[in-house]
Amino acid sequence: MYCEAAQRIHLYRQAVLQAFVYLAGLQLLASSSLRSALAGSCGLLAGLAYQYNFLGIKRLKVASAHLLITP
Amino acid sequence: MNAGAGGFAGAPVTKVILASSISSSVILQAAHGLQRRAPSPYLHFLSQSFVFRHPGELACGTLLLYYFRLLERQRGSAKHGACVVSTLAINYALQSVVSAALSTVLPSGPYGLIFANFVPFVLDIPPAQNFTLFGLPMTDKASTPHQSVTPFKNSCAIPTYICTQKLMYAHLGSL
């Protein structure tokens, strides 16, 4: 009984978290009507281009980025 | 809105991006009334891709950027850094084409980074559980990267990791 309730609370927490992520994205898209929606769709297009390796862009590497930051 | 360990353990690139975005946004919002010259192209690229002009957008965007450090924890800092740099470049090119075509000024801010991070968040991160709530499909993606936080040789990562371990052992002891 206790385990079931705990699991249900865990699931609700996950749902709220996920809803917050998407709602914050929508809020950012709608913040200044059309112009911010345009900027957001540019970002989405850039993300899709990187995801599907447009023009082989995943070849570019920043191999030593963590060496610059870590001591 | 917190996934995995709190703080920036194992996410130095996100830390740098967030620090630069917040500080430059606050400074430029405070100096809003001042008269400025038109910025050089490099400065325009930086301000267009990092500076929010409104406090509300700053709050939402900062939350989302902080949340998406789970992507950096999953694929590693070097790969995420490469993704960030190329995404910024593509996004700036797209934005300048769109603003020239429609002759509008697009709002500045890291919109490109934030909405480009949504793509791998939706497509790549595997959920452990699918369930429905009020008929809406939901997943537990937000808690997935708990296991993938590893201690890096980072000034802040190691104390955080030790603290987490101590907390875990304390919980085990209380059981």
Side-chain angles (χ1 to χ4, degrees), chain B residues 65-130:
Chain B
L65 276 179
Y66 181 66
Y67 178 76
F68 283 134
R69 77 198 185 287
L70 68 93
L71 288 172
E72 182 178 354
R73 283 172 175 167
Q74 279 211 329
R75 44 189 184 194
S77 294
K79 226 174 185 179
H80 190 69
C83 174
V84 162
V85 171
S86 36
T87 303
L88 277 180
I90 301 174
N91 181 55
Y92 189 65
L94 275 176
Q95 278 199 352
S96 36
V97 166
V98 166
S99 61
L102 301 180
S103 66
T104 57
V105 181
L106 291 184
S108 74
Y111 286 92
L113 280 183
I114 293 166
F115 288 98
N117 279 342
F118 264 105
V119 175
F121 176 72
V122 172
L123 294 181
D124 278 354
I125 296 184
Q129 270 177 322
N130 288 303

Side-chain angles (χ1 to χ4, degrees), chain A residues 17-27, chain B residues 64 118 121-122 141:
Chain A
L17 258 176
Q18 209 181 6
F20 263 117
V21 174
Y22 290 117
L23 280 180
L26 278 181
Q27 164 69 29
Chain B
L64 279 175
F118 264 105
F121 176 72
V122 172
K141 272 180 187 185

Side-chain angles (χ1 to χ4, degrees), chain A residues 8 11 17 21 34-35 38 40-42 67:
Chain A
R8 198 178 303 156
L11 286 187
L17 258 176
V21 174
L34 182 65
R35 299 186 311 137
L38 274 177
S41 48
C42 281
L67 295 180

Side-chain angles (χ1 to χ4, degrees), chain A residues 1-14, chain B residues 129 131 140:
Chain A
M1 192 67 182
Y2 170 75
C3 272
E4 205 173 85
Q7 198 182 11
R8 198 178 303 156
I9 287 172
H10 171 76
L11 286 187
Y12 285 153
R13 188 173 167 274
Q14 294 313 315
Chain B
Q129 270 177 322
F131 59 99
D140 63 341

